[in-house]
Amino acid sequence: MKGAQESGHNVEKIFISDKKIGYCMGCYFCQRNHGICAIKDDMTEILEKIINADVVVLSSPIYFYSVSAQIKAVIDRSVARWLDIKDKEFYYIMTAAEDSPTVMDCALECFRGFAACLEGSKEMGVIYGKGVYERGEIEQTPYLKQAYEMGKLV
């Protein structure tokens, strides 16, 4: 975020854990109502920001080799307006306690699967924050510098 800001970009970080986001029910109310979801929560605002962004950074801790439920809910709820999410550059940041070579494969495929459904999406970078478990441990790793440098390239 800091690197992108220093490069002159407007950046907004959304802490989805601070938002009220319900789970998609697969009712397709949104498809019959021009992208308006039956669930009235913070996802409408988040989805509008995703649609209006040029660059989207998806970040998640790895839980049981996959993304968190919170980020998966955002991905799933994007179905309401997924055809409006076009021409985005995607960056992915993941952290995991384990540092095996395959610990993030499933999570990365989840992110890539979402982007693959969106017209004109491009994967621009991935950060694999392996071997970090406790809050703050990331500070002692090269991952923050990698994220800063990646942000400067946006």
Side-chain angles (χ1 to χ4, degrees):
M1 187 172 169
K2 184 177 178 184
Q5 288 171 323
E6 288 178 6
S7 293
H9 299 285
N10 293 321
V11 179
E12 180 177 357
K13 184 187 291 188
I14 300 171
F15 289 95
I16 58 175
S17 59
D18 294 341
K19 301 290 184 178
K20 181 181 176 195
I21 302 170
Y23 300 106
C24 182
M25 299 179 294
C27 66
Y28 296 108
F29 179 92
C30 58
Q31 301 306 304
R32 295 184 305 277
N33 291 279
H34 310 288
I36 297 169
C37 184
I39 303 169
K40 304 305 174 208
D41 59 11
D42 295 328
M43 190 59 200
T44 302
E45 171 193 345
I46 293 168
L47 193 49
E48 193 65 32
K49 289 178 182 194
I50 292 170
I51 290 166
N52 291 324
D54 296 319
V55 175
V56 177
V57 178
L58 298 176
S59 179
S60 180
I62 302 304
Y63 296 150
F64 296 100
Y65 301 104
S66 192
V67 296
S68 70
Q70 293 89 342
I71 195 73
K72 184 64 168 97
V74 169
I75 291 169
D76 291 347
R77 289 284 302 286
S78 295
V79 73
R81 295 189 57 199
W82 70 278
L83 293 173
D84 296 329
I85 306 172
K86 298 178 182 177
D87 303 317
K88 305 297 176 207
E89 293 183 350
F90 280 94
Y91 293 84
Y92 310 123
I93 302 173
M94 302 168 288
T95 59
E98 190 177 318
D99 64 358
S100 73
T102 60
V103 68
M104 297 180 178
D105 290 357
C106 182
L108 184 56
E109 284 307 307
C110 180
F111 286 154
R112 285 177 171 163
F114 173 52
C117 293
L118 308 174
E119 182 181 322
S121 68
K122 296 180 212 143
E123 181 178 311
M124 303 302 290
V126 179
I127 294 180
Y128 303 89
K130 296 180 181 183
V132 292
Y133 180 67
E134 296 289 336
R135 184 179 297 271
E137 281 183 343
I138 197 87
E139 304 286 338
Q140 315 313 318
T141 70
Y143 307 128
L144 287 180
K145 175 114 172 100
Q146 288 173 13
Y148 172 76
E149 293 299 328
M150 194 164 66
K152 286 174 51 177
L153 297 174
V154 172

